[in-house]
Amino acid sequence: MIRFTDPRLYVKGTCAAMLTDKSTGDIKYWSDKFQTGNITTSLTEGEIRAGLGNGIAAIIPSDSDLQVEFTAADFSLWAKVAQVGGTLNYNAPTMTCQVVETTSTSLALDVSKGAPVAQLGFSQVRCYVQEVGKAAPVGVYGTAYPIDADTGEVKDFVAKAGMKYKVWYCVNNAFAQVATISSFFDPAVYHFTAVLAVYANKTTGEKNSGTRVGWLYVIVPSLKLGGNAGVVGDQTNNDTTSVSGRAVTSDADVVSELCEGCNSGGNVYAYYVYVPDDGADAIQGLAVVGGTVSVATSATAQIPVRFVMRNGELVIPASYSEGFTYDASGAPEGTTVSDAGLITAGATAGDFDVAVTYDNGGEDLKLSITASVTASTP
């Protein structure tokens, strides 16, 4: 039996997820209170049967699909309206009350405290009247009376002089948000990112004393939200926020360097990116393509160090200085090598050696290269 020493990884739990505007990059929604999170894929196999027995001669896949189903425990009005492509604005009409003491049979509000407006869904401005200190059965306070929005006069109501009345009516509240959901649902499309925890049966050391070894990023460049803008008013279970939908392909906004045609542009549903806390095991060594670096006199050149990954892939370091040291020996007069591996050549030509060392999580990876300072062409 062949046995390998690679750790087995396990993914469990969502740290956070967010929706980002595809045009501006602005974060529109973020939460770290997710209860469920699922990414599912499917396709139609499209089998072609032929020959004796009508066996499967080929399988040509089609109708691919990627669906996102995340549920957060916290409430987000923005996320709910985005699910149906509605609008979200401030300055919504909200109910308020004003106590008025009458001196005649007329009843009028002080509109300086806020002009009466129609409740959402109504075209007329109305109010409800209660008599202070009296019982208020439905038959009394349930009657709606028109209000003059300019004067505050309550019409069709006969008051008693010297009485106090509590008048309920709507005013525009600058702080109140209103989500408008039309009958035509056209859910918005956003860039979706979720961060899931990755574990292994080992202690990770410096960054975490437990068994979490990294994070898995699920990135859906274009998520068409799924229309779930419902609100739960259960007395036992809290309302949740749905971040769900289906991935859609989008046209590339730049020309790809690939030549394949199909799948060389924006036909991508999602990316899965695993970021380990300690990535030292992934780097197997250092390399410089060709093994030598040439620079003209009085010019500069970067030592193009590459990480050699476990699969043989060559990767450019994010920084030529972080973790690296460069030790030049036998350099021609006036030639130096910086802490970032930048060769600055002097006026004298000649060859020299550079020892490159990288601190790979406590293990030194070493590489020796030959550098050549060549005479400039007149």
Side-chain angles (χ1 to χ4, degrees), residues 43 58 73 102-103 107 113 195 202 227 243 281 283 296 310 328 360:
L43 57 79
T102 59
T103 58
L107 179 63
K113 297 181 179 180
V195 186
K202 70 173 186 178
V243 181
D281 292 343
I283 303 175
R310 284 193 301 182
N360 189 34

Side-chain angles (χ1 to χ4, degrees), residues 94-100 109-110 113-114 127-130 132 147 165-171:
T94 58
M95 191 70 76
T96 187
C97 73
Q98 188 177 138
V99 176
V100 180
L109 300 173
D110 181 0
K113 297 181 179 180
C127 69
Y128 304 94
V129 181
Q130 293 175 307
V132 176
I147 314 175
Y165 293 95
K166 181 183 288 186
V167 183
W168 294 89
Y169 61 105
C170 285
V171 295

Side-chain angles (χ1 to χ4, degrees), residues 39-43 65-67 269 272:
I39 307 291
T40 57
T41 60
S42 64
L43 57 79
D65 193 8
L66 185 146
Q67 298 192 31
Y269 272 156
Y272 294 161

Side-chain angles (χ1 to χ4, degrees), residues 287-298:
V288 169
V289 177
T292 62
V293 179
S294 181
V295 56
T297 54
S298 303

Side-chain angles (χ1 to χ4, degrees), residues 81 83-87 180-188 224 227:
V81 74
Q83 280 281 339
V84 294
T87 59
T180 303
I181 301 175
S182 71
S183 60
F184 171 60
F185 286 6
D186 186 14
K224 177 79 168 179

Side-chain angles (χ1 to χ4, degrees), residues 231-309:
V231 176
V232 175
D234 197 302
Q235 301 288 32
T236 302
N237 302 306
N238 64 289
D239 177 63
T240 57
T241 298
S242 173
V243 181
S244 60
R246 302 170 74 176
V248 295
T249 60
S250 59
D251 294 333
D253 55 1
V254 295
V255 177
S256 170
E257 65 181 9
L258 303 178
C259 299
E260 286 86 346
C262 290
N263 288 327
S264 65
N267 296 328
V268 174
Y269 272 156
Y271 301 95
Y272 294 161
V273 179
Y274 171 52
V275 182
D277 288 341
D278 181 2
D281 292 343
I283 303 175
Q284 298 297 294
L286 305 177
V288 169
V289 177
T292 62
V293 179
S294 181
V295 56
T297 54
S298 303
T300 61
Q302 175 67 52
I303 298 177
V305 183
R306 301 292 185 265
F307 291 137
V308 181
M309 311 308 290

Side-chain angles (χ1 to χ4, degrees), residues 57-81:
I59 295 177
I60 302 177
S62 64
D63 304 326
S64 63
D65 193 8
L66 185 146
Q67 298 192 31
V68 174
E69 292 288 344
F70 276 61
T71 302
D74 55 333
F75 174 81
S76 170
L77 186 58
W78 180 92
K80 289 185 182 293
V81 74

